[in-house]
Amino acid sequence: MSATHIGMLSVLNSEDAICAVSDSKFVYNPSVKQGLQSGAILSLGYSQEISMELLISSGAKTIVHSAFSGDFPHRKELNKMGITCIPNFDWREEDPLGKAEWLLLFGYLTGKEEQAKKLFSELVISYKATMKKVKKQTKDQLISGNFIRDYWYAPAGESYNAKLFEDAGMNYIYSKTKGTGSYTVSMEKILMDTKDVKIWINPGFRSRAEIIKSNAKAKRLNCFQNGKIYCYSNDLNKFWELSAVQPHLLLADLYSISSIPSPKKLHFYKELK
Amino acid sequence: MIKKRIPFILVIALLLVPLSAFIHLSTGEIYVSLNDFFSAIFEFKGNNSTNVLIREFKIPRILIAIVAGGGLALSGMLMQTLFNNPLAGPYVLGINSGASLLVALSLMSGFSFFGSDIGIISAALIGAFLAGILMMAVAQRIRSQISLLLVGLMFGSFTSALVSILESLSGEGALKAYTLWTMGSLLQVEFDQLPLILFIFICGIFLSFILIKPLNMLVIGERSAGLLGLKISQVRFLIMGITALLAGLITAFCGPIAFVGLAVPNLTRILLRTQNHSYLILGNLLFGSIFLLVCDSFIQLFSRQIALPINAFTSIIGAPFVVFILMRKLR
Protein backbone atom coordinates (compact mmCIF):
# COMPACT_ATOMS: atom_id res chain seq x y z
CA MET A 1 0.00 0.00 0.00
CA SER A 2 1.48 3.31 -1.09
CA ALA A 3 1.38 6.59 0.84
CA THR A 4 -1.26 8.00 -1.53
CA HIS A 5 -3.54 5.02 -0.79
CA ILE A 6 -3.39 5.73 2.96
CA GLY A 7 -4.24 9.37 2.18
CA MET A 8 -7.28 8.37 0.16
CA LEU A 9 -8.55 6.05 2.88
CA SER A 10 -7.94 8.73 5.52
CA VAL A 11 -10.13 11.34 3.80
CA LEU A 12 -12.88 8.68 3.80
CA ASN A 13 -12.22 8.07 7.52
CA SER A 14 -11.50 4.44 6.66
CA GLU A 15 -8.10 3.97 8.23
CA ASP A 16 -9.59 1.04 10.16
CA ALA A 17 -9.74 -0.88 6.87
CA ILE A 18 -5.93 -0.97 6.83
CA CYS A 19 -4.39 -4.08 8.38
CA ALA A 20 -0.85 -3.85 6.94
CA VAL A 21 1.35 -1.31 5.14
CA SER A 22 4.73 -1.29 3.46
CA ASP A 23 7.34 1.48 3.96
CA SER A 24 5.86 2.31 7.36
CA LYS A 25 8.48 4.97 8.10
CA PHE A 26 6.82 7.21 5.51
CA VAL A 27 3.40 7.08 7.17
CA TYR A 28 1.95 10.47 8.17
CA ASN A 29 -1.57 9.56 9.31
CA PRO A 30 -1.65 9.62 13.15
CA SER A 31 -4.15 6.77 13.56
CA VAL A 32 -2.20 4.50 11.16
CA LYS A 33 0.99 5.37 13.04
CA GLN A 34 -0.73 4.48 16.28
CA GLY A 35 -1.96 1.21 14.77
CA LEU A 36 1.61 0.40 13.75
CA GLN A 37 2.84 1.11 17.26
CA SER A 38 0.18 -0.99 18.94
CA GLY A 39 0.63 -3.85 16.46
CA ALA A 40 -2.93 -3.60 15.13
CA ILE A 41 -1.43 -2.70 11.74
CA LEU A 42 1.51 -4.74 10.50
CA SER A 43 4.58 -3.22 8.90
CA LEU A 44 5.56 -5.36 5.90
CA GLY A 45 8.99 -3.81 5.24
CA TYR A 46 10.09 -2.02 2.09
CA SER A 47 7.67 -2.10 -0.85
CA GLN A 48 10.27 -3.81 -3.05
CA GLU A 49 10.79 -6.69 -0.63
CA ILE A 50 7.72 -7.06 1.54
CA SER A 51 7.37 -10.01 3.88
CA MET A 52 4.85 -12.42 2.36
CA GLU A 53 4.55 -14.29 5.66
CA LEU A 54 3.53 -11.14 7.50
CA LEU A 55 1.21 -10.17 4.67
CA ILE A 56 -0.67 -13.47 4.89
CA SER A 57 -0.77 -13.39 8.68
CA SER A 58 -2.24 -9.85 8.58
CA GLY A 59 -5.52 -11.34 7.38
CA ALA A 60 -5.77 -8.91 4.45
CA LYS A 61 -8.45 -9.76 1.91
CA THR A 62 -7.50 -7.05 -0.57
CA ILE A 63 -4.07 -5.77 -1.52
CA VAL A 64 -3.86 -2.38 -3.24
CA HIS A 65 -0.43 -1.96 -4.83
CA SER A 66 1.23 0.61 -7.05
CA ALA A 67 2.35 -1.91 -9.69
CA PHE A 68 5.54 0.01 -10.43
CA SER A 69 7.20 -3.22 -11.47
CA GLY A 70 4.20 -5.04 -12.90
CA ASP A 71 2.20 -7.74 -11.20
CA PHE A 72 2.12 -8.17 -7.42
CA PRO A 73 4.54 -10.96 -6.38
CA HIS A 74 2.86 -14.39 -5.96
CA ARG A 75 -0.44 -12.93 -7.14
CA LYS A 76 -1.79 -16.29 -8.37
CA GLU A 77 -1.04 -18.05 -5.07
CA LEU A 78 -2.60 -15.16 -3.13
CA ASN A 79 -5.69 -15.30 -5.34
CA LYS A 80 -6.05 -19.01 -4.53
CA MET A 81 -6.02 -18.04 -0.85
CA GLY A 82 -8.90 -15.64 -1.51
CA ILE A 83 -6.79 -12.50 -1.47
CA THR A 84 -7.44 -10.02 -4.28
CA CYS A 85 -4.61 -7.88 -5.68
CA ILE A 86 -5.66 -4.52 -7.14
CA PRO A 87 -3.08 -2.50 -9.07
CA ASN A 88 -3.41 1.23 -8.55
CA PHE A 89 -2.05 3.37 -11.36
CA ASP A 90 -2.71 6.79 -9.85
CA TRP A 91 0.98 7.61 -10.29
CA ARG A 92 0.57 7.46 -14.05
CA GLU A 93 -1.99 10.25 -14.05
CA GLU A 94 -0.83 13.50 -15.60
CA ASP A 95 -3.83 15.52 -14.49
CA PRO A 96 -4.03 16.36 -10.76
CA LEU A 97 -7.79 15.83 -10.77
CA GLY A 98 -7.34 12.53 -12.59
CA LYS A 99 -5.02 11.39 -9.83
CA ALA A 100 -7.48 12.46 -7.14
CA GLU A 101 -10.25 10.58 -8.93
CA TRP A 102 -8.72 7.31 -7.74
CA LEU A 103 -10.46 8.20 -4.49
CA LEU A 104 -13.54 6.61 -6.05
CA LEU A 105 -11.80 3.22 -6.11
CA PHE A 106 -11.27 3.41 -2.36
CA GLY A 107 -14.87 4.52 -1.98
CA TYR A 108 -16.02 1.32 -3.71
CA LEU A 109 -13.62 -0.85 -1.72
CA THR A 110 -14.82 0.51 1.62
CA GLY A 111 -18.52 0.72 0.70
CA LYS A 112 -18.43 4.51 0.83
CA GLU A 113 -19.04 5.24 -2.85
CA GLU A 114 -21.39 8.14 -2.28
CA GLN A 115 -19.09 9.80 0.24
CA ALA A 116 -16.16 9.39 -2.16
CA LYS A 117 -18.14 10.87 -5.06
CA LYS A 118 -19.22 13.81 -2.91
CA LEU A 119 -15.68 14.47 -1.69
CA PHE A 120 -14.34 14.24 -5.22
CA SER A 121 -16.90 16.66 -6.66
CA GLU A 122 -16.21 19.10 -3.81
CA LEU A 123 -12.49 19.07 -4.44
CA VAL A 124 -13.07 19.54 -8.17
CA ILE A 125 -15.18 22.64 -7.43
CA SER A 126 -12.53 23.98 -5.07
CA TYR A 127 -9.75 23.25 -7.58
CA LYS A 128 -11.59 25.03 -10.40
CA ALA A 129 -12.43 27.95 -8.16
CA THR A 130 -8.71 28.50 -7.56
CA MET A 131 -8.06 28.20 -11.30
CA LYS A 132 -10.63 30.94 -11.93
CA LYS A 133 -8.74 33.27 -9.60
CA VAL A 134 -5.69 33.10 -11.84
CA LYS A 135 -5.21 36.40 -13.61
CA LYS A 136 -3.72 36.52 -17.04
CA GLN A 137 -0.68 38.61 -16.37
CA THR A 138 3.03 38.11 -16.68
CA LYS A 139 4.27 36.51 -13.50
CA ASP A 140 7.69 35.78 -12.14
CA GLN A 141 9.41 32.94 -13.93
CA LEU A 142 9.46 29.61 -12.14
CA ILE A 143 11.79 26.62 -12.18
CA SER A 144 11.21 23.24 -10.61
CA GLY A 145 13.43 20.24 -9.84
CA ASN A 146 17.07 20.07 -8.87
CA PHE A 147 20.50 18.81 -9.85
CA ILE A 148 21.18 15.12 -9.75
CA ARG A 149 24.96 15.15 -10.04
CA ASP A 150 25.73 16.87 -13.40
CA TYR A 151 22.22 17.37 -14.75
CA TRP A 152 19.10 19.20 -13.72
CA TYR A 153 15.92 17.15 -13.82
CA ALA A 154 12.81 19.28 -14.26
CA PRO A 155 9.20 18.17 -14.81
CA ALA A 156 8.54 18.00 -18.55
CA GLY A 157 5.88 20.28 -20.02
CA GLU A 158 3.14 17.63 -20.14
CA SER A 159 3.76 16.18 -16.68
CA TYR A 160 1.58 16.19 -13.57
CA ASN A 161 3.64 18.98 -11.99
CA ALA A 162 3.69 21.12 -15.13
CA LYS A 163 -0.11 20.83 -15.27
CA LEU A 164 -0.33 22.01 -11.65
CA PHE A 165 1.93 24.99 -12.43
CA GLU A 166 -0.20 25.85 -15.44
CA ASP A 167 -3.45 25.59 -13.47
CA ALA A 168 -1.96 27.80 -10.74
CA GLY A 169 -1.10 30.40 -13.38
CA MET A 170 2.62 30.03 -12.82
CA ASN A 171 5.17 31.01 -15.44
CA TYR A 172 7.06 27.71 -15.65
CA ILE A 173 10.07 28.04 -17.95
CA TYR A 174 9.84 24.49 -19.36
CA SER A 175 6.07 24.48 -19.86
CA LYS A 176 6.47 24.10 -23.62
CA THR A 177 8.68 21.01 -23.48
CA LYS A 178 7.36 17.63 -24.58
CA GLY A 179 6.96 14.58 -22.38
CA THR A 180 5.25 13.50 -19.19
CA GLY A 181 8.34 12.54 -17.22
CA SER A 182 11.52 14.50 -16.58
CA TYR A 183 13.17 17.06 -18.78
CA THR A 184 16.96 16.78 -18.45
CA VAL A 185 19.01 19.96 -18.68
CA SER A 186 22.79 20.40 -18.58
CA MET A 187 24.37 22.57 -15.87
CA GLU A 188 25.33 25.26 -18.38
CA LYS A 189 21.84 25.48 -19.81
CA ILE A 190 20.11 25.63 -16.45
CA LEU A 191 22.37 28.48 -15.37
CA MET A 192 21.46 30.52 -18.44
CA ASP A 193 17.80 29.48 -18.57
CA THR A 194 17.24 30.52 -14.95
CA LYS A 195 18.97 33.89 -15.04
CA ASP A 196 15.62 35.69 -14.69
CA VAL A 197 13.87 33.05 -12.59
CA LYS A 198 12.57 34.30 -9.24
CA ILE A 199 10.85 31.19 -7.85
CA TRP A 200 12.33 27.76 -7.38
CA ILE A 201 9.83 25.03 -6.53
CA ASN A 202 10.48 21.49 -5.29
CA PRO A 203 14.26 21.23 -4.91
CA GLY A 204 13.58 18.19 -2.73
CA PHE A 205 15.40 19.49 0.36
CA ARG A 206 14.43 21.09 3.66
CA SER A 207 16.90 23.99 3.66
CA ARG A 208 19.20 26.03 1.43
CA ALA A 209 22.18 24.52 3.26
CA GLU A 210 21.04 21.03 2.26
CA ILE A 211 20.75 22.14 -1.37
CA ILE A 212 24.33 23.45 -1.35
CA LYS A 213 25.59 20.34 0.39
CA SER A 214 24.02 18.23 -2.34
CA ASN A 215 25.45 20.34 -5.17
CA ALA A 216 27.54 23.44 -4.53
CA LYS A 217 26.89 24.72 -8.07
CA ALA A 218 23.30 25.46 -7.08
CA LYS A 219 24.45 28.60 -5.27
CA ARG A 220 25.38 30.11 -8.66
CA LEU A 221 21.77 30.11 -9.82
CA ASN A 222 19.98 33.44 -9.77
CA CYS A 223 16.91 31.87 -8.16
CA PHE A 224 19.10 30.68 -5.30
CA GLN A 225 20.81 34.04 -4.81
CA ASN A 226 17.93 36.43 -5.42
CA GLY A 227 14.80 34.33 -5.56
CA LYS A 228 12.51 32.41 -3.27
CA ILE A 229 12.69 28.66 -2.85
CA TYR A 230 9.70 26.60 -1.81
CA CYS A 231 9.47 22.91 -1.19
CA TYR A 232 6.81 20.48 -0.02
CA SER A 233 9.11 19.77 2.90
CA ASN A 234 6.76 21.31 5.47
CA ASP A 235 6.08 17.67 6.27
CA LEU A 236 7.32 15.26 3.60
CA ASN A 237 5.16 12.34 4.66
CA LYS A 238 2.07 14.55 4.75
CA PHE A 239 2.80 15.69 1.20
CA TRP A 240 3.23 12.18 -0.20
CA GLU A 241 0.15 10.93 1.62
CA LEU A 242 -2.32 13.74 1.05
CA SER A 243 -1.29 15.84 -1.95
CA ALA A 244 -2.74 13.35 -4.45
CA VAL A 245 -6.16 13.38 -2.81
CA GLN A 246 -6.09 17.09 -1.98
CA PRO A 247 -4.97 18.66 -5.27
CA HIS A 248 -7.16 21.68 -4.51
CA LEU A 249 -4.99 22.45 -1.46
CA LEU A 250 -1.83 21.84 -3.45
CA LEU A 251 -3.06 24.22 -6.13
CA ALA A 252 -4.02 26.78 -3.51
CA ASP A 253 -0.44 26.63 -2.17
CA LEU A 254 1.05 27.14 -5.62
CA TYR A 255 -1.37 29.94 -6.40
CA SER A 256 -0.41 31.70 -3.16
CA ILE A 257 3.30 31.27 -3.86
CA SER A 258 2.96 32.85 -7.31
CA SER A 259 0.52 35.60 -6.30
CA ILE A 260 1.39 36.70 -2.77
CA PRO A 261 4.85 38.07 -1.91
CA SER A 262 5.12 36.20 1.40
CA PRO A 263 2.32 33.64 1.70
CA LYS A 264 1.68 32.62 5.29
CA LYS A 265 -0.88 29.82 5.27
CA LEU A 266 0.47 27.04 3.11
CA HIS A 267 -0.79 23.46 3.43
CA PHE A 268 2.16 21.53 2.08
CA TYR A 269 4.80 24.06 1.11
CA LYS A 270 7.40 25.94 3.08
CA GLU A 271 9.88 28.62 2.08
CA LEU A 272 13.44 27.42 2.47
CA LYS A 273 15.80 29.58 4.50
CA MET B 1 65.65 10.04 -36.01
CA ILE B 2 64.23 8.70 -32.70
CA LYS B 3 65.57 11.71 -30.89
CA LYS B 4 63.59 13.99 -33.21
CA ARG B 5 60.46 11.81 -33.42
CA ILE B 6 59.60 11.84 -29.71
CA PRO B 7 59.96 15.61 -29.17
CA PHE B 8 57.95 16.13 -32.36
CA ILE B 9 55.10 13.94 -31.03
CA LEU B 10 55.26 15.70 -27.67
CA VAL B 11 55.13 19.15 -29.29
CA ILE B 12 52.11 18.06 -31.35
CA ALA B 13 50.47 16.76 -28.15
CA LEU B 14 51.31 20.01 -26.39
CA LEU B 15 49.52 21.92 -29.16
CA LEU B 16 46.60 19.48 -29.04
CA VAL B 17 45.91 20.27 -25.38
CA PRO B 18 44.77 23.89 -25.96
CA LEU B 19 43.03 22.76 -29.15
CA SER B 20 41.12 20.07 -27.21
CA ALA B 21 40.33 22.66 -24.54
CA PHE B 22 38.98 24.97 -27.24
CA ILE B 23 36.88 22.13 -28.71
CA HIS B 24 35.64 21.39 -25.19
CA LEU B 25 34.70 25.04 -24.81
CA SER B 26 32.86 25.01 -28.15
CA THR B 27 30.94 21.77 -27.58
CA GLY B 28 29.20 23.08 -24.46
CA GLU B 29 25.47 23.56 -24.76
CA ILE B 30 25.86 27.31 -24.37
CA TYR B 31 28.15 28.90 -26.93
CA VAL B 32 30.66 31.44 -25.68
CA SER B 33 32.98 33.50 -27.85
CA LEU B 34 36.66 34.00 -27.07
CA ASN B 35 35.79 37.62 -26.23
CA ASP B 36 33.33 36.42 -23.56
CA PHE B 37 35.93 33.99 -22.32
CA PHE B 38 38.63 36.61 -21.80
CA SER B 39 36.22 39.16 -20.37
CA ALA B 40 35.09 36.56 -17.79
CA ILE B 41 38.72 36.13 -16.77
CA PHE B 42 39.89 39.73 -16.77
CA GLU B 43 36.67 41.70 -16.12
CA PHE B 44 34.61 39.26 -14.06
CA LYS B 45 31.22 40.50 -12.90
CA GLY B 46 29.32 38.28 -10.47
CA ASN B 47 25.94 39.44 -11.75
CA ASN B 48 26.70 38.62 -15.39
CA SER B 49 25.42 35.11 -16.18
CA THR B 50 27.85 34.57 -19.06
CA ASN B 51 30.77 35.55 -16.80
CA VAL B 52 29.54 33.15 -14.11
CA LEU B 53 29.01 30.40 -16.68
CA ILE B 54 32.60 30.70 -17.90
CA ARG B 55 34.31 31.21 -14.56
CA GLU B 56 32.32 28.84 -12.37
CA PHE B 57 31.31 26.15 -14.84
CA LYS B 58 33.46 26.05 -17.96
CA ILE B 59 36.93 26.90 -16.64
CA PRO B 60 36.85 24.51 -13.65
CA ARG B 61 35.51 21.76 -15.92
CA ILE B 62 38.28 22.20 -18.48
CA LEU B 63 41.03 22.48 -15.88
CA ILE B 64 39.84 19.49 -13.89
CA ALA B 65 39.65 17.44 -17.12
CA ILE B 66 43.31 18.34 -17.74
CA VAL B 67 44.31 17.55 -14.15
CA ALA B 68 42.27 14.33 -13.90
CA GLY B 69 43.33 13.02 -17.33
CA GLY B 70 46.99 13.87 -16.84
CA GLY B 71 47.07 12.84 -13.17
CA LEU B 72 45.39 9.47 -13.69
CA ALA B 73 47.57 8.67 -16.69
CA LEU B 74 50.68 9.62 -14.74
CA SER B 75 49.71 7.55 -11.70
CA GLY B 76 48.88 4.63 -14.02
CA MET B 77 52.30 4.90 -15.64
CA LEU B 78 53.99 4.95 -12.22
CA MET B 79 52.12 1.80 -11.19
CA GLN B 80 52.98 0.06 -14.45
CA THR B 81 56.65 0.84 -13.99
CA LEU B 82 56.64 -0.09 -10.31
CA PHE B 83 54.93 -3.41 -10.89
CA ASN B 84 56.62 -3.87 -14.25
CA ASN B 85 53.21 -4.71 -15.63
CA PRO B 86 51.40 -2.96 -18.51
CA LEU B 87 48.03 -3.94 -17.06
CA ALA B 88 48.66 -2.23 -13.73
CA GLY B 89 46.83 0.96 -12.92
CA PRO B 90 45.08 2.67 -10.03
CA TYR B 91 41.76 1.11 -11.02
CA VAL B 92 42.94 -2.45 -11.65
CA LEU B 93 45.23 -2.60 -8.62
CA GLY B 94 42.58 -1.48 -6.21
CA ILE B 95 43.76 2.09 -5.52
CA ASN B 96 40.39 3.45 -6.64
CA SER B 97 38.63 0.68 -4.71
CA GLY B 98 40.46 1.71 -1.53
CA ALA B 99 39.48 5.34 -2.07
CA SER B 100 35.87 4.33 -2.84
CA LEU B 101 35.63 2.17 0.27
CA LEU B 102 36.78 4.96 2.57
CA VAL B 103 34.54 7.50 0.82
CA ALA B 104 31.59 5.12 1.26
CA LEU B 105 32.51 4.73 4.92
CA SER B 106 32.77 8.48 5.38
CA LEU B 107 29.49 9.24 3.57
CA MET B 108 27.57 6.55 5.38
CA SER B 109 29.14 6.92 8.82
CA GLY B 110 26.71 9.61 9.88
CA PHE B 111 29.45 11.88 11.26
CA SER B 112 29.11 15.29 9.68
CA PHE B 113 32.89 15.85 9.39
CA PHE B 114 33.24 12.77 7.20
CA GLY B 115 30.32 13.88 5.06
CA SER B 116 31.94 17.28 4.45
CA ASP B 117 34.16 18.09 1.46
CA ILE B 118 37.35 17.89 3.54
CA GLY B 119 36.18 14.61 5.07
CA ILE B 120 35.53 13.04 1.66
CA ILE B 121 38.85 14.29 0.25
CA SER B 122 40.78 12.99 3.28
CA ALA B 123 38.95 9.66 3.08
CA ALA B 124 39.79 9.24 -0.62
CA LEU B 125 43.46 10.11 -0.06
CA ILE B 126 43.84 7.78 2.94
CA GLY B 127 41.92 4.98 1.19
CA ALA B 128 44.07 5.27 -1.94
CA PHE B 129 47.28 5.25 0.09
CA LEU B 130 46.27 2.27 2.26
CA ALA B 131 45.25 0.28 -0.80
CA GLY B 132 48.59 1.13 -2.41
CA ILE B 133 50.53 -0.04 0.65
CA LEU B 134 48.51 -3.26 0.71
CA MET B 135 49.14 -3.97 -2.96
CA MET B 136 52.84 -3.24 -2.50
CA ALA B 137 53.02 -5.75 0.37
CA VAL B 138 51.28 -8.34 -1.81
CA ALA B 139 53.62 -7.57 -4.70
CA GLN B 140 56.59 -8.42 -2.44
CA ARG B 141 55.29 -11.97 -2.07
CA ILE B 142 53.72 -12.58 -5.46
CA ARG B 143 56.00 -12.46 -8.48
CA SER B 144 53.50 -13.50 -11.16
CA GLN B 145 52.05 -10.45 -12.94
CA ILE B 146 48.74 -12.17 -13.65
CA SER B 147 48.38 -13.26 -10.01
CA LEU B 148 49.01 -9.72 -8.84
CA LEU B 149 46.32 -8.38 -11.16
CA LEU B 150 43.96 -11.06 -9.89
CA VAL B 151 44.71 -10.01 -6.31
CA GLY B 152 43.90 -6.43 -7.35
CA LEU B 153 40.61 -7.54 -8.86
CA MET B 154 39.80 -9.63 -5.78
CA PHE B 155 40.54 -6.63 -3.59
CA GLY B 156 38.15 -4.64 -5.79
CA SER B 157 35.44 -7.31 -5.34
CA PHE B 158 36.09 -7.42 -1.59
CA THR B 159 35.72 -3.65 -1.21
CA SER B 160 32.59 -3.75 -3.42
CA ALA B 161 31.09 -6.32 -1.09
CA LEU B 162 31.89 -4.15 1.94
CA VAL B 163 30.38 -1.14 0.17
CA SER B 164 27.23 -3.19 -0.60
CA ILE B 165 26.88 -4.06 3.09
CA LEU B 166 27.31 -0.38 3.99
CA GLU B 167 24.72 0.55 1.36
CA SER B 168 22.19 -1.88 2.79
CA LEU B 169 22.71 -0.39 6.26
CA SER B 170 22.68 3.27 5.28
CA GLY B 171 19.84 5.71 4.81
CA GLU B 172 18.45 6.95 1.54
CA GLY B 173 20.39 10.23 1.52
CA ALA B 174 23.81 8.63 2.03
CA LEU B 175 23.01 5.88 -0.44
CA LYS B 176 22.03 8.41 -3.10
CA ALA B 177 25.11 10.55 -2.40
CA TYR B 178 27.42 7.56 -2.75
CA THR B 179 25.72 6.18 -5.88
CA LEU B 180 26.00 9.56 -7.58
CA TRP B 181 29.62 9.90 -6.47
CA THR B 182 30.48 6.58 -8.17
CA MET B 183 29.32 7.95 -11.53
CA GLY B 184 32.25 10.35 -11.60
CA SER B 185 31.96 14.01 -12.54
CA LEU B 186 34.10 16.84 -13.83
CA LEU B 187 31.48 19.37 -12.82
CA GLN B 188 31.59 19.31 -9.06
CA VAL B 189 34.80 21.30 -8.69
CA GLU B 190 34.45 24.93 -7.65
CA PHE B 191 36.64 27.70 -9.03
CA ASP B 192 37.90 28.40 -5.48
CA GLN B 193 39.10 24.81 -5.10
CA LEU B 194 41.29 24.99 -8.20
CA PRO B 195 44.40 26.50 -6.54
CA LEU B 196 44.56 23.62 -4.02
CA ILE B 197 43.96 21.00 -6.72
CA LEU B 198 46.56 22.54 -9.05
CA PHE B 199 49.07 22.82 -6.21
CA ILE B 200 48.78 19.10 -5.33
CA PHE B 201 48.83 18.17 -9.02
CA ILE B 202 52.01 20.17 -9.65
CA CYS B 203 53.61 18.65 -6.53
CA GLY B 204 52.81 15.19 -7.96
CA ILE B 205 54.39 16.09 -11.30
CA PHE B 206 57.44 17.62 -9.63
CA LEU B 207 57.99 14.52 -7.47
CA SER B 208 57.58 12.29 -10.53
CA PHE B 209 60.29 14.21 -12.37
CA ILE B 210 62.60 13.79 -9.38
CA LEU B 211 62.11 10.04 -9.75
CA ILE B 212 63.03 9.85 -13.45
CA LYS B 213 66.32 8.09 -12.85
CA PRO B 214 64.95 5.45 -10.43
CA LEU B 215 61.97 4.90 -12.75
CA ASN B 216 64.28 4.31 -15.70
CA MET B 217 66.29 1.86 -13.59
CA LEU B 218 63.15 -0.05 -12.56
CA VAL B 219 62.50 -0.91 -16.21
CA ILE B 220 65.29 -3.52 -16.07
CA GLY B 221 63.61 -5.15 -13.08
CA GLU B 222 63.75 -4.53 -9.35
CA ARG B 223 66.54 -7.03 -8.67
CA SER B 224 68.86 -5.65 -11.34
CA ALA B 225 68.05 -2.08 -10.30
CA GLY B 226 68.86 -3.01 -6.71
CA LEU B 227 72.20 -4.41 -7.81
CA LEU B 228 72.90 -1.08 -9.49
CA GLY B 229 72.43 0.65 -6.14
CA LEU B 230 68.78 1.68 -6.24
CA LYS B 231 67.16 1.87 -2.81
CA ILE B 232 64.14 -0.15 -3.84
CA SER B 233 61.98 0.16 -0.72
CA GLN B 234 62.47 3.93 -0.60
CA VAL B 235 61.61 4.31 -4.28
CA ARG B 236 58.58 2.05 -3.94
CA PHE B 237 57.28 4.11 -1.05
CA LEU B 238 57.72 7.35 -3.00
CA ILE B 239 56.07 6.00 -6.15
CA MET B 240 53.16 4.64 -4.15
CA GLY B 241 52.89 7.96 -2.32
CA ILE B 242 52.75 9.98 -5.55
CA THR B 243 50.22 7.55 -7.07
CA ALA B 244 48.00 7.71 -4.01
CA LEU B 245 48.32 11.49 -3.92
CA LEU B 246 47.31 11.93 -7.56
CA ALA B 247 44.70 9.14 -7.79
CA GLY B 248 43.32 10.05 -4.36
CA LEU B 249 43.11 13.75 -5.27
CA ILE B 250 41.24 13.04 -8.49
CA THR B 251 38.98 10.39 -6.97
CA ALA B 252 38.16 12.77 -4.12
CA PHE B 253 37.10 15.64 -6.37
CA CYS B 254 35.75 13.78 -9.40
CA GLY B 255 34.76 10.36 -8.10
CA PRO B 256 36.09 7.26 -9.80
CA ILE B 257 37.12 7.64 -13.46
CA ALA B 258 37.95 4.24 -14.85
CA PHE B 259 40.48 3.11 -17.45
CA VAL B 260 42.29 6.42 -18.00
CA GLY B 261 45.14 5.25 -15.74
CA LEU B 262 45.31 1.96 -17.57
CA ALA B 263 44.70 2.84 -21.21
CA VAL B 264 46.59 6.14 -21.58
CA PRO B 265 50.02 4.94 -20.32
CA ASN B 266 49.85 2.03 -22.77
CA LEU B 267 48.79 4.32 -25.58
CA THR B 268 51.67 6.66 -24.69
CA ARG B 269 54.18 3.79 -24.79
CA ILE B 270 52.82 2.66 -28.16
CA LEU B 271 53.09 6.18 -29.59
CA LEU B 272 56.45 7.18 -28.09
CA ARG B 273 58.12 3.75 -28.22
CA THR B 274 60.49 4.62 -25.41
CA GLN B 275 61.21 3.60 -21.83
CA ASN B 276 62.72 6.96 -20.96
CA HIS B 277 60.51 8.28 -18.18
CA SER B 278 61.25 11.94 -18.83
CA TYR B 279 59.36 11.52 -22.12
CA LEU B 280 56.82 9.10 -20.67
CA ILE B 281 55.87 11.46 -17.84
CA LEU B 282 55.33 14.34 -20.27
CA GLY B 283 53.53 12.08 -22.75
CA ASN B 284 51.17 10.71 -20.12
CA LEU B 285 50.35 14.16 -18.80
CA LEU B 286 49.59 15.45 -22.30
CA PHE B 287 47.78 12.41 -23.73
CA GLY B 288 45.82 11.91 -20.50
CA SER B 289 44.61 15.51 -20.61
CA ILE B 290 43.69 15.27 -24.30
CA PHE B 291 41.91 11.94 -23.73
CA LEU B 292 39.69 13.24 -20.94
CA LEU B 293 39.01 16.56 -22.68
CA VAL B 294 37.89 14.70 -25.80
CA CYS B 295 35.77 12.23 -23.77
CA ASP B 296 34.09 15.10 -21.92
CA SER B 297 33.58 17.02 -25.19
CA PHE B 298 31.61 14.01 -26.49
CA ILE B 299 29.56 13.98 -23.28
CA GLN B 300 28.81 17.69 -23.77
CA LEU B 301 28.00 17.18 -27.43
CA PHE B 302 25.38 14.51 -26.70
CA SER B 303 24.12 16.02 -23.44
CA ARG B 304 20.80 16.96 -25.05
CA GLN B 305 20.18 13.38 -26.11
CA ILE B 306 21.64 11.42 -23.21
CA ALA B 307 23.01 12.18 -19.73
CA LEU B 308 26.27 10.23 -19.78
CA PRO B 309 28.38 9.89 -16.60
CA ILE B 310 32.11 10.38 -17.26
CA ASN B 311 33.03 7.13 -15.50
CA ALA B 312 30.79 5.13 -17.83
CA PHE B 313 32.06 6.89 -20.95
CA THR B 314 35.78 6.38 -20.17
CA SER B 315 35.01 2.71 -19.49
CA ILE B 316 33.24 2.34 -22.84
CA ILE B 317 36.30 3.74 -24.62
CA GLY B 318 38.94 2.27 -22.29
CA ALA B 319 37.74 -1.34 -21.88
CA PRO B 320 38.07 -2.32 -25.58
CA PHE B 321 41.50 -0.71 -25.64
CA VAL B 322 42.63 -2.82 -22.67
CA VAL B 323 41.32 -5.94 -24.43
CA PHE B 324 43.41 -4.89 -27.44
CA ILE B 325 46.52 -4.59 -25.21
CA LEU B 326 45.83 -8.03 -23.72
CA MET B 327 45.49 -9.59 -27.18
CA ARG B 328 48.69 -7.93 -28.32
CA LYS B 329 50.47 -9.30 -25.27
CA LEU B 330 49.08 -12.82 -25.69
CA ARG B 331 50.11 -12.87 -29.33
Side-chain angles (χ1 to χ4, degrees), chain A residues 1-21:
Chain A
M1 178 163 277
S2 149
T4 58
H5 309 163
I6 297 174
M8 294 201 174
L9 286 169
S10 72
V11 296
L12 291 167
N13 293 317
S14 293
E15 294 97 327
D16 55 352
I18 302 170
C19 58
V21 295

Side-chain angles (χ1 to χ4, degrees), chain A residues 248-263:
Chain A
H248 55 305
L249 300 183
L250 193 57
L251 190 75
D253 276 5
L254 295 174
Y255 174 75
S256 300
I257 289 168
S258 64
S259 315
I260 306 168
S262 292

Side-chain angles (χ1 to χ4, degrees), chain A residues 63-74:
Chain A
I63 299 166
V64 182
H65 64 103
S66 293
F68 290 128
S69 46
D71 223 350
F72 194 76
H74 307 289

Side-chain angles (χ1 to χ4, degrees), chain B residues 128-145:
Chain B
F129 195 75
L130 288 178
I133 298 279
L134 181 76
M135 288 312 293
M136 220 162 59
V138 173
Q140 299 272 36
R141 292 168 193 274
I142 297 175
R143 290 284 152 209
S144 157
Q145 294 183 6

